[in-house]
Amino acid sequence: VVLAICVLVARAIIELPADPLGGGCSFERLAVRPRLFHCRGFASQAWIDAFVAESEALLAASQVCRSRTCRSYADDLASRPVLNALMEKLYTLFSEEAAAEARTGYKEQPLNILRYDLGGDTNWHIDPQHRHPNDLLASAILYIGSPAEGGETTFRKSEPAPVVVP
C-alpha cells in the first residue's frame, strides 16, 4: 500500500515524534518548469508511522474509493496535529508572504490524502484543478511507502524534459 499526501485522521491523540521534519533532507532539482525538487529523508519512520495513523483513520471515515484508490481531504488541521506539523514545516520553505497566502487559501485547496492499493492509480491532471495553474504556490508529495513495482509519479510537461519519480 502506498499513501501519498499531496502540498499535508483520527480524532485520537497521536504524539508528535521528537525528531524534526526535514532534518535529513537535501533538495535535488528535477526540473526547471515547474520548479520541481526531490527530497529524500524528509520524515523519519516515527513521523511516517504518525502520518499513516492519522491518514488511515481519515480515509476510513471518508470511504471515497474508486479503482483501488481512496481519497480524503484534511480540511480541519486544528484537530490533526501530525498533518498540521507537516504543513507548518512545508510553510517554512516559503517566504513569509507566500506562507501567509498559503495558510489563507488552504480551505480552497486542502491537503489531499490518497491511498493507492495494488493496481490503484489516478488520472493525469494538473494540481490546481478548476483553477489557473499560476494560482498554485506549491505541490508537495510525501511518499511513505514503496511498492515492489510501479508507483511512479510522472511530470509529463516538465522542462527541460519529462520527469518520472520512482
Side-chain angles (χ1 to χ4, degrees):
V1 174
V2 174
L3 182 68
I5 300 178
C6 187
V7 211
L8 26 165
V9 185
R11 299 271 180 209
I13 298 172
I14 297 174
E15 289 187 37
L16 297 180
D19 56 318
L21 277 170
C25 182
S26 62
F27 288 96
E28 169 193 0
R29 182 166 223 149
L30 300 179
V32 174
R33 191 169 173 189
R35 291 179 295 271
L36 184 59
F37 297 88
H38 185 242
C39 167
R40 288 200 184 275
F42 182 81
S44 68
Q45 189 60 49
W47 276 101
I48 290 170
D49 293 345
F51 291 140
V52 168
E54 270 194 1
S55 299
E56 286 290 353
L58 184 59
L59 287 166
S62 75
Q63 292 301 314
V64 179
C65 298
R66 178 190 60 80
S67 183
R68 296 180 293 278
T69 302
C70 296
R71 170 187 312 266
S72 188
Y73 295 94
D75 53 2
D76 176 21
L77 288 179
S79 63
R80 318 272 186 238
V82 178
L83 297 173
N84 186 55
L86 168 66
M87 292 306 298
E88 288 302 319
K89 178 60 180 181
L90 293 174
Y91 292 149
T92 66
L93 302 173
F94 305 157
S95 68
E96 285 184 34
E97 181 181 345
E101 182 181 337
R103 283 184 185 98
T104 301
Y106 183 85
K107 288 285 187 190
E108 293 177 37
Q109 182 72 41
L111 195 60
N112 186 8
I113 299 170
L114 302 169
R115 183 186 70 227
Y116 298 102
D117 294 324
L118 185 62
D121 65 357
T122 188
N123 295 330
W124 187 89
H125 65 278
I126 297 173
D127 272 354
Q129 297 172 18
H130 314 297
R131 297 180 73 188
H132 190 277
N134 290 337
D135 292 339
L136 181 66
L137 182 61
S139 284
I141 301 173
L142 177 63
Y143 297 95
I144 59 173
S146 297
E149 62 181 71
E152 295 89 12
T153 299
T154 304
F155 299 88
R156 300 190 315 193
K157 295 189 174 189
S158 61
E159 296 173 7
V163 172
V164 176
V165 179

